[in-house]
Amino acid sequence: MRNGVRVAMTMQPRLEPSGLFDLRYAAFLETVAHLRERLHRYCTRMTGSALDGEDVMQETLFEIYRKIEMIDDPGALRSWLFRTAHNRCIDFLRNRQTRRRAEASFAVDEIVLPVEPAGQGADRAIERLVINLPPKERACVLLKDVFDHSLEEIGDLVGSTVGGVKAALSRGRAKLAALPCQPVVRLEPSPDPELSRLLNRYVELFNRRDWDGVRALTSADAQLRVSDCFKGLLSESIYFVEYEKGKASWKMAIGAVDGDTMLLVLHRGEAGWSPAYPVRIEATGGTIDRISDYYACPWLLKAARTVVVASPN
């Protein structure tokens, strides 16, 4: 099950005698199914990473679901989802290291003259460029010029007035228009040698189906998140059993998505091996303490700026 269904089911909802929960739950699933890819696009462009965008979106879905009993008007779900996603993105960008990487180009919030948005059909180009803008301007340009929200809706989503939204749009559009024709080359962080060794060992053991060896690389309280399916302790999941069922139709390799080193699961087709989805491994002190698996997100690699398989064989 996809489109947020399994995310919701893992929460073990409390059914109400009146059936109100059932109605709210149905509205939640319908809205998520309709908005899922749009939400991911928004979170991806706000965070500057397809995977970070997916993580933010997953947290958004969990947060909304935990508060599902507060939903009185199903029609308000769309705005609630976007507002929560926006706030989560802002929290993400407040991380100092991420902010320095994502906003190196524009640290000054200067006042500029208004300009009109780019011509029709340029929304995809705008999506790729907004990472150069500070968060508020980035959000306003995305919501207006890509997602076609009204000024009033944007003001509500970003916590501003219509006048504030107009000013942010003016600054953001002007900065986009002033960008050089050549793409800006951003320095990516150097790979961590210790993590690289750990990932290589993980891939070697995983491809041999040596699950005891893989588990030995993880901490006792390692966390696992499989988008739309599971969130909790790795030790309480059947994660490796599910991969064992796949037989020889997959293998794992070191790769990179949007410049970040991670693992890529490759599927074998008529044209050979090709990347299907990423797996992000996080470690502390040479021990894996978090695994994020994105097998249920077929749109993720399509939304990424770059996907590189470093060791496909």
Side-chain angles (χ1 to χ4, degrees):
M1 302 171 76
R2 295 182 182 176
N3 292 325
V5 176
R6 289 188 177 175
V7 170
M9 291 297 289
T10 60
M11 300 304 297
Q12 298 180 341
R14 176 177 63 83
L15 295 178
E16 299 177 9
S18 65
L20 285 176
F21 185 94
D22 292 334
L23 295 176
R24 292 164 177 163
Y25 177 69
F28 172 80
L29 295 183
E30 182 179 356
T31 303
V32 169
H34 178 67
L35 289 180
R36 180 64 183 271
E37 291 196 42
R38 286 171 61 86
L39 272 174
H40 180 250
R41 281 175 63 193
Y42 179 74
C43 294
T44 292
R45 300 314 171 203
M46 283 295 293
T47 62
S49 162
L51 268 74
D52 290 333
E54 178 65 26
D55 288 346
V56 168
M57 189 186 67
Q58 287 283 317
E59 293 301 324
T60 296
L61 297 181
F62 273 113
E63 180 175 343
I64 293 294
Y65 189 78
R66 284 192 293 266
K67 299 176 181 177
I68 196 170
E69 294 181 0
M70 299 170 57
I71 300 174
D72 295 322
D73 177 14
L77 261 173
R78 176 177 177 271
S79 295
W80 198 4
L81 279 165
F82 263 98
R83 186 183 306 111
T84 303
H86 171 77
N87 291 337
R88 288 271 182 177
C89 288
I90 295 301
D91 289 343
F92 176 89
L93 291 170
R94 282 175 179 155
N95 176 280
R96 181 174 298 178
Q97 181 179 1
T98 303
R99 186 172 65 243
R100 285 175 178 172
R101 289 178 53 197
E103 299 173 20
S105 296
F106 291 101
V108 181
D109 192 27
E110 70 271 20
I111 302 298
V112 297
L113 295 176
V115 298
E116 292 303 312
Q120 189 176 9
D123 58 336
R124 289 293 177 179
I126 292 172
E127 281 189 64
R128 301 289 177 175
L129 293 172
V130 291
I131 192 61
N132 294 287
L133 302 177
K136 183 177 180 179
E137 295 168 15
R138 188 183 313 174
C140 290
V141 170
L142 278 172
L143 291 169
K144 182 61 179 173
D145 295 345
V146 176
F147 295 98
D148 198 28
H149 286 255
S150 68
L151 296 176
E152 291 77 11
E153 287 175 322
I154 298 171
D156 180 55
L157 293 176
V158 305
S160 184
T161 63
V162 170
V165 171
K166 287 181 178 179
L169 280 171
S170 170
R171 294 192 298 269
R173 289 167 176 168
K175 289 174 181 177
L176 291 180
L179 286 175
C181 296
Q182 297 299 321
V184 177
V185 177
R186 298 184 181 279
L187 295 177
E188 300 292 346
S190 300
D192 180 349
E194 184 176 5
L195 179 59
S196 295
R197 287 192 293 270
L198 184 61
L199 292 181
N200 276 288
R201 182 60 175 161
Y202 187 93
V203 167
E204 177 189 352
L205 295 170
F206 217 98
N207 287 340
R208 283 175 15 201
R209 279 53 169 176
D210 182 353
W211 308 124
D212 289 337
V214 173
R215 288 189 183 93
L217 300 178
T218 66
S219 65
D221 58 351
Q223 295 291 310
L224 170 69
R225 180 165 68 183
V226 182
S227 294
D228 280 10
C229 299
F230 182 85
K231 182 180 181 182
L233 288 171
L234 174 64
S235 60
E236 296 177 355
S237 74
I238 57 171
Y239 183 60
F240 301 123
V241 174
E242 290 295 321
Y243 271 98
E244 181 67 27
K245 292 178 182 178
K247 304 297 182 183
S249 62
W250 63 264
K251 66 179 178 179
M252 191 170 280
I254 305 292
V257 177
D258 288 342
D260 290 329
T261 301
M262 62 192 60
L263 307 179
L264 290 171
V265 174
L266 312 180
H267 282 180
R268 184 168 56 190
E270 295 181 358
W273 295 95
S274 61
Y277 56 89
V279 176
R280 178 146 57 182
I281 301 292
E282 299 175 41
T284 303
T287 302
I288 295 170
D289 52 20
R290 184 177 179 86
I291 300 173
S292 299
D293 190 302
Y294 301 90
Y295 97 92
C297 308
W299 54 82
L300 202 153
L301 292 184
K302 297 177 184 177
R305 298 188 308 274
T306 58
V307 178
V308 178
V309 181
S311 54
N313 297 318

